Amino acid sequence: MIRETEVPLYHDGRTDATPEQAAYDPARLARLDEHLSELISHNKLQCGSYLLARDGRIFAHRAMGKLTYREGSPDLMPDSIRKTYSVTKFFTAVAVMQLIEEGKLYLEQAVSTVLKPFDTPLHRSITVFHLLTHTSGVYPDPGCMMEPYPTAWFGGLKGYDDWVTNAISGPLSSKPGEQYAYSSCGYAILGEIIAKVSGIPYEQYILERILEPLGMTRTFFKVPVHLRDEVCVTSDWQVEELEWSEERADGPPPAGGGLYSTLEDMWKLGQMMLDGGTFGGVRILSRKSVEAMTKNKLSGVKTHVWGSHVTDYQFGLGLFLTTPTIETPGTYGHEGFGRCGIKVDPEERFVAVFIVPTGIQWAPESVIGTKAVIWSGLL
């Protein structure tokens, strides 16, 4: 990590407009740089970067801090690659909606019609909608329910022949539709559904139907060897993740957290959503699918994830809706464990992408504070 006496250098990426042309206060950009720089100098962040765009024009694109946790690390750059973890769920949700548009799936479809292990009295009522909205009752993320000694859904075989049966063994955390409980396991199952319904592996589907059409040339499930020195890592185990090359033929698709990406590539996904499903003249989703994904789809659903106690949780089809900060009502997007996120603000015609990695467990200022500073600059 950077020592407290060091001041991180700034590196700028491609832009299409000035902050003034985008009706954004340049003084708030200066404050954003100060905010991230202060967190880096106090060892709360290893590095930080952001891309801001309005009306489809990038007006701020900057990186600072160190690419890796190692002594003598090169600087983080605007086009550095970072594992996005749960931002991958955004892509998975888009893929599900594409298949729904093609009539190959429908929201209220029972998962058991696609995956045989779900054909039991316990699981038969679980639908595609439940998986998309984290209301299936399938194993929540470790630690999600504030359990002091969490276990991983993907850890250790339980004596079953396939990973799906392993993943859903044991009781459900709640009845389907009753409670929101964040589940990467549920999204891995969606990845399996995408593969079964489309007839091609999940990773291939995301590449051919989303990444290539959007021109996301620096987004990967497996980063090519010649680009691995450009990947931001904060720990030894992230290096091991990066170098992992074992085939996933018999394991879960990485649909809940497997993608690596960059600021500009993630912006393309957000801009596609803001523009009603198109980017660069290519249609990825219909306007109606975008509308469906970005509106609240839950009613009277409670949640207790990460210590919250909400009796009427709001969530779109795979997307988080506005959080309790100064973001505009109607803002949506997804964040990831890699301390990164894509946020889309339709009212302000605004897309914000950030990467704020840290080697410590959690620094709320890095995400919550960063979003507050970003939105404060909109004029």
Side-chain angles (χ1 to χ4, degrees), residues 185-197:
C185 177
Y187 268 71
I189 291 164
L190 283 174
E192 188 76 3
I193 291 171
I194 290 166
K196 294 284 188 183
V197 170

Side-chain angles (χ1 to χ4, degrees), residues 111-112 114-120 123 126 131 138-139 153-154 157-158 160-170 172 185-193 195-196 249-253:
V111 176
S112 61
V114 183
L115 302 178
K116 187 171 179 54
F118 277 78
D119 192 17
T120 74
H123 304 98
I126 296 174
L131 294 176
V138 168
Y139 197 91
W153 66 268
F154 48 82
L157 295 177
K158 305 180 183 75
Y160 299 103
D161 293 332
D162 63 283
W163 76 264
V164 175
T165 306
N166 271 293
I168 63 173
S169 62
L172 296 176
C185 177
Y187 268 71
I189 291 164
L190 283 174
E192 188 76 3
I193 291 171
K196 294 284 188 183
D250 298 320

Side-chain angles (χ1 to χ4, degrees), residues 286-298:
S286 70
R287 176 176 62 86
K288 299 305 293 183
S289 285
V290 173
E291 290 176 0
M293 293 178 72
T294 58
K295 298 293 188 295
N296 177 46
K297 295 296 179 181
L298 302 182

